[in-house]
Amino acid sequence: MKLSINRELLIKAINMVVKAADKRHRFVILGNIKLVLEEGYLTLTASDLELELTTRFAIPSGACILAGSTTLPAEMFFNICKSLSADTVTIDAPENTSRCVITSGKGRYTLSSLPAQDFPSIGAALPSTVVKISQGDLTSLIHHTRFAMATQDVRHYLTGMLFDINDSKLTAVATDGHRLAVAHRLLSDSYQANQVIIPGKAVAELERLLLELAKTTDDATIVELGFDAEFLHVGLTLSDEETDAVLEVSLSARLIEGKFPDYRRVLPTNNINAANFNKDEAMDVLRRISVLNSKANPGVLLNFDTTDQCKISVSDKGEGEAEEVLGVQHEGDVIELIFNEAYLRAVLSVLEGEIRMEMNQPSSPVLIYQVGDDLHQYIIMPMRL
């Protein structure tokens, strides 16, 4: 294959897929990007066999010098393209060779290549359910829950996000066992009840693509989520204002097998203590006193001892201690709780305005939500006193 293409367009296209490449290199070729060049179109694909990203876009007349295909080391290829200074890049990967020559301006780079026919496919999804949701709602669902996913856990299903489809409501749920995030959105259509667990890497890439989509479309743009027994499939059409290109991007992800915890049973309903406070004021207090927190000492103590204030403190015997007072509206008995400061701040960061915290015992799950908002609920397990 031989291609002459605008550098900015090529960088944009590579950026759409490069993060799906397998950095662990279980198979060498999975660390590569597959390029398929045909008259009028270029298609790029990257995959780790759990997530596959593909982008296809039109190229100008004459850009395709010789149709063909190859695969190139993903990160190295991307870094070379970003470092070039000329506006045009020529990629020459002769058939039956293991070398690709990239030229631009006075620069010439040679990369090892592998045959495109050896690049494995994640498999074709045949969605049995297609859920339609606005781009704005889907982006918001992910934003309000993704932070609570586990990054590493023997309970592999906790490293993903649950999508619970029930009639005309889609609920996104994430938990790492210490905190739980639940977000709901109403759908315009009704669907058969279904639950799927989407891998964390796929969730992160989907959010990234949605944010790219939001740059050129409004929040009401409809996105279709296609599910079958094994896969999630999403197709998006992205416009790039800088290059006037239209990129057809598709994401396919292998769903996580397993039974996600019943989040409804975790949400407490019999709390005897509650406190309302301002989110921004609480974040400011946590930011200031967190200078004394560390991995060995991540806790922050909240002491609700009056109806109008909460003492927030951090104590590190080796470094010192800090205490500030936060104005609250407290209902119930005197209660002290210790939270992982980073967990508490992460929840507050996705909320706004007046926050309500409902509590029972120092060791019981604490419910946190935004006053007047019934779409988002959060649970944090206190640390032991």
Side-chain angles (χ1 to χ4, degrees):
M1 63 164 278
K2 189 170 183 180
L3 166 72
S4 179
I5 189 171
N6 175 269
R7 184 180 72 95
E8 290 299 325
L9 176 57
L10 182 59
I11 290 173
K12 183 75 173 183
I14 298 173
N15 188 52
M16 290 295 105
V17 303
V18 67
K19 292 189 178 179
D22 188 0
K23 291 183 173 61
R24 293 175 294 176
H25 297 328
R26 290 171 293 174
F27 303 102
V28 174
I29 199 167
L30 290 179
N32 287 12
I33 288 178
K34 177 183 175 182
L35 295 83
V36 177
L37 175 64
E38 54 190 318
E39 189 65 41
Y41 288 93
L42 178 65
T43 303
L44 306 182
T45 303
S47 171
D48 63 3
L49 293 184
E50 300 296 325
L51 169 69
E52 182 176 285
L53 290 173
T54 297
T55 183
R56 182 175 187 266
F57 57 97
I59 55 178
S61 175
C64 175
I65 301 171
L66 179 64
S69 60
T70 190
T71 75
L72 300 174
E75 290 294 336
M76 197 172 296
F77 178 42
F78 193 29
N79 288 334
I80 287 173
C81 292
K82 289 190 294 183
S83 67
L84 298 174
S85 58
D87 293 335
T88 302
V89 179
T90 300
I91 301 171
D92 187 7
E95 190 176 356
N96 299 323
T97 68
S98 59
R99 288 287 184 270
C100 173
V101 178
I102 302 170
T103 57
S104 180
K106 297 180 180 180
R108 176 186 172 91
Y109 302 79
T110 302
L111 289 178
S112 297
S113 62
L114 291 172
Q117 58 266 30
D118 294 342
F119 194 87
S121 172
I122 195 174
L126 298 173
S128 55
T129 302
V130 178
V131 175
K132 296 180 179 181
I133 183 172
S134 72
Q135 173 267 128
D137 279 348
L138 183 56
T139 304
S140 181
L141 274 178
I142 296 173
H143 169 71
H144 280 90
T145 53
R146 184 164 77 89
F147 69 87
M149 289 189 300
T151 53
Q152 291 182 333
D153 201 295
V154 293
R155 299 164 294 180
H156 60 284
Y157 47 83
L158 296 187
T159 64
M161 179 179 292
L162 175 71
F163 271 21
D164 183 5
I165 307 159
N166 190 353
D167 195 20
S168 59
K169 183 168 72 172
L170 174 59
T171 301
V173 187
T175 181
D176 60 5
H178 303 287
R179 51 189 172 169
L180 172 78
V182 181
H184 314 277
R185 290 297 182 276
L186 293 179
L187 305 171
S188 57
D189 298 319
S190 296
Y191 301 89
Q192 185 176 354
N194 190 18
Q195 289 191 345
V196 297
I197 306 173
I198 304 172
K201 184 177 179 180
V203 171
E205 286 305 291
L206 178 56
E207 182 182 36
R208 183 175 70 89
L209 294 177
L210 289 169
L211 292 174
E212 288 289 334
L213 180 64
K215 293 178 181 178
T216 54
T217 64
D218 59 38
D219 287 350
T221 300
I222 297 299
V223 174
E224 295 186 351
L225 304 175
F227 301 100
D228 62 14
E230 296 183 68
F231 295 101
L232 159 71
H233 180 77
V234 183
L236 302 174
T237 300
L238 305 180
S239 299
D240 183 46
E241 294 180 341
E242 294 181 1
T243 60
D244 291 326
V246 176
L247 296 88
E248 298 175 2
V249 182
S250 65
L251 177 153
S252 295
R254 194 181 302 276
L255 299 174
I256 295 177
E257 295 183 1
K259 185 171 178 58
F260 203 86
D262 186 351
Y263 61 93
R264 298 177 189 86
R265 297 180 60 183
V266 180
L267 297 172
T269 57
N270 59 344
N271 293 308
I272 59 175
N273 286 278
N276 287 18
F277 54 87
N278 179 270
K279 170 262 180 82
D280 291 333
E281 293 177 2
M283 288 287 281
D284 285 343
V285 169
L286 292 174
R287 176 180 51 80
R288 288 193 293 269
I289 68 171
S290 66
V291 296
L292 288 178
N293 282 125
S294 63
K295 288 185 177 180
N297 184 52
V300 56
L301 174 67
L302 275 67
N303 181 357
F304 295 92
D305 60 353
T306 71
T307 59
D308 61 0
Q309 70 177 27
C310 170
K311 294 178 182 177
I312 301 179
S313 60
V314 173
S315 178
D316 187 330
K317 295 180 180 179
E319 299 294 336
E321 59 185 30
E323 178 181 289
E324 292 217 20
V325 175
L326 175 68
V328 300
Q329 298 173 2
H330 176 221
E331 309 160 11
D333 301 327
V334 172
I335 186 171
E336 283 189 343
L337 308 101
I338 295 181
F339 293 109
N340 181 304
E341 187 270 338
Y343 290 175
L344 179 57
R345 190 154 27 152
V347 168
L348 294 180
S349 69
V350 296
L351 299 176
E352 297 294 338
E354 186 177 5
I355 308 300
R356 186 169 179 84
M357 180 181 290
E358 296 185 359
M359 307 153 280
N360 195 345
Q361 301 297 328
S363 59
S364 300
V366 174
L367 175 65
I368 302 175
Y369 57 93
Q370 186 174 310
V371 174
D373 177 7
D374 58 0
L375 295 178
H376 309 98
Q377 298 165 302
Y378 301 90
I379 299 292
I380 300 182
M381 287 298 301
M383 300 171 66
R384 293 187 178 182
L385 292 169

